[in-house]
Amino acid sequence: MHEPLLYITFFSGLVPFCFYVYFICKMGGLPNLQPAVPFLWLTLIGSLYEPIVTIGMGKDSMYWFRVYNAAEFLCLYYFFKHVIHKRYLLLFGSFLFFFTLNSLMVVILGIGQLRVESMYAPFIFIFVLTFSALWFRDTSKNDLLPAKFAKSNVVFICGFLLYYSGTLFFYLLSEVILVDSKSISYQDYWLVNIIATLILKIFLIGGVWSGRKI
């Protein structure tokens, strides 16, 4: 079950970006999808890198995950900063400062990847939850964004919320379960992340599809 589902997840990561390129070629510019473009690029690269380099070529994935962690935060930072129309700059700056500080600490201290994930997961969850709540509050109370921009953003944000809340305890407990207690196999435990990632990619597809009309 693990391997077919894994490759389905990899393939699904190609679809959002392919849809985006198709709609760009067919309709021209799609400014309502612009905030999500870096995340779509990252999803495409990750969906190609892991099966080709990590699995196919057998390369160590640790450095890839370190790069991915930083790129993932920056893509989410870009997304929320643009959908919120560059408001809450002090709050954005605070998150960026603490993320940079945390990243430097990881590099200097040489912290293991499972522990890095357990540090990163709550930080990114709080970031996504905070700015998702601010976006929903602003758009519902003040009607700051036109309706044509809101639909795709709702889909993307719901996907982010589901994924990062669903994987929060997965990453928090990974070191305890896999290393300390060894109560479950690595493959069985990683199945949780595969399913959550597949759900996120389905939401990305839905977000691109719903944002195809200007």
Side-chain angles (χ1 to χ4, degrees), residues 78-165:
Y78 179 91
F79 175 83
F80 281 106
K81 194 167 184 180
H82 282 74
V83 299
I84 293 179
H85 287 221
K86 301 180 181 180
R87 301 175 72 218
Y88 311 108
L89 294 181
L90 181 59
L91 189 57
F92 273 111
S94 299
F95 272 101
L96 183 60
F97 171 77
F98 284 111
F99 180 81
T100 304
L101 191 65
N102 184 67
S103 299
L104 289 173
M105 183 177 67
V106 166
V107 172
I108 293 170
L109 299 180
I111 300 173
Q113 187 58 34
L114 287 178
R115 187 162 296 180
V116 168
E117 296 292 351
S118 68
M119 295 165 58
Y120 176 78
F123 179 87
I124 201 68
F125 170 72
I126 293 170
F127 176 83
V128 169
L129 182 63
T130 299
F131 288 104
S132 297
L134 289 172
W135 185 85
F136 279 114
R137 187 194 69 175
D138 288 349
T139 52
S140 61
K141 288 180 63 177
N142 302 322
D143 195 26
L144 291 176
L145 298 179
K148 65 182 180 183
F149 286 89
K151 188 176 181 182
S152 58
N153 289 336
V154 169
V155 179
F156 288 132
I157 290 173
C158 287
F160 293 148
L161 285 171
L162 279 173
Y163 175 74
Y164 292 107
S165 60

Side-chain angles (χ1 to χ4, degrees), residues 30 34 38 42 45 50 62 67 72 88 100 111 119 144 147 149 160 165 174 186:
L30 293 175
Q34 191 59 39
L42 180 64
I45 294 169
E50 292 191 47
M62 185 187 74
V67 172
E72 184 180 30
Y88 311 108
T100 304
I111 300 173
M119 295 165 58
L144 291 176
F149 286 89
F160 293 148
S165 60
S174 57
Y186 181 84

Side-chain angles (χ1 to χ4, degrees), residues 7 25-26 32 68 75 93 103 112 129 155 158 165 188-190 196:
Y7 282 98
C25 294
K26 185 178 180 181
N32 50 329
Y68 184 88
C75 289
S103 299
L129 182 63
V155 179
C158 287
S165 60
D188 289 336
Y189 191 70
W190 202 252

Side-chain angles (χ1 to χ4, degrees), residues 53-87:
V53 179
T54 303
I55 297 176
M57 299 173 63
K59 299 293 184 180
D60 189 349
S61 61
M62 185 187 74
Y63 295 107
W64 160 246
F65 284 125
R66 296 288 173 91
V67 172
Y68 184 88
N69 285 346
E72 184 180 30
F73 172 76
L74 292 174
C75 289
L76 289 168
Y77 185 92
Y78 179 91
F79 175 83
F80 281 106
K81 194 167 184 180
H82 282 74
V83 299
I84 293 179
H85 287 221
K86 301 180 181 180
R87 301 175 72 218

